[in-house]
Amino acid sequence: MTDKSTDPHCLFCKIVAEKVPAEVVASNDKAIAFRDLNPQAPTHVLVIPRRHGANAAESAEHGLMDALVSLAAEVAEEEGLTHGYRLVLNTGPDAGQAVFHTHLHLVGGRNLGWPPG
Ligand code: AMP
Ligand code: ZN
């Protein structure tokens, strides 16, 4: 598998391949960042690896989690999130994971409650 390997049935692989449109805000050779379709905060961006992995553990095996966090930090700076932000990796049914291509949620621009729902 290469860094560009894809799953033809995966929605986010289709976004990587530009077969499904998305509002991309940043990208590099390993990852892309685009706005969530259903934003939960003034800034809600998804950062995903170009290489398909079902969840964070799988993408960690691919050595791609650093790239996701670094790109998220770049977007946070571009978005002016100087008061902070949250990075979320929903994994599995209890966390409500709906898309099985690793995605790091970057949320910010409002006071975020804790504990999360
Ligand atoms: P999760 O529940 O962690 O799997 O989150 C999946 C996220 O993907 C949700 O926040 C959705 O709003 C978002 N989403 C689903 N389809 C799209 C899409 N085509 N473009 C952008 N975001 C999407
Ligand atoms: Zn995929």
Side-chain angles (χ1 to χ4, degrees):
M1 273 186 139
T2 71
D3 264 5
K4 301 231 163 106
S5 52
T6 62
D7 173 344
H9 305 296
C10 170
L11 172 64
F12 286 179
C13 282
K14 290 177 189 165
I15 287 178
V16 170
E18 298 181 8
K19 288 178 182 152
V20 166
E23 191 182 341
V24 175
V25 295
S27 76
N28 60 33
D29 60 329
K30 293 198 169 115
I32 69 171
F34 54 93
R35 296 204 188 278
D36 196 291
L37 213 52
N38 183 24
Q40 302 300 315
T43 292
H44 188 170
V45 167
L46 301 177
V47 185
I48 72 170
R50 290 183 182 274
R51 178 176 178 177
H52 180 83
N55 55 42
E58 204 170 303
S59 292
E61 285 177 17
H62 299 160
L64 289 169
M65 295 310 293
D66 282 8
L68 299 190
V69 172
S70 296
L71 192 59
E74 279 177 34
V75 174
E77 191 170 345
E78 281 163 20
E79 296 276 313
L81 300 179
T82 53
H83 286 267
Y85 54 86
R86 186 168 293 160
L87 300 178
V88 176
L89 290 160
N90 290 324
T91 305
D94 274 1
Q97 184 180 4
V99 179
F100 292 86
H101 179 131
T102 307
H103 49 283
L104 181 61
H105 294 257
L106 164 63
V107 288
R110 66 171 169 81
N111 200 303
L112 302 161
W114 192 266

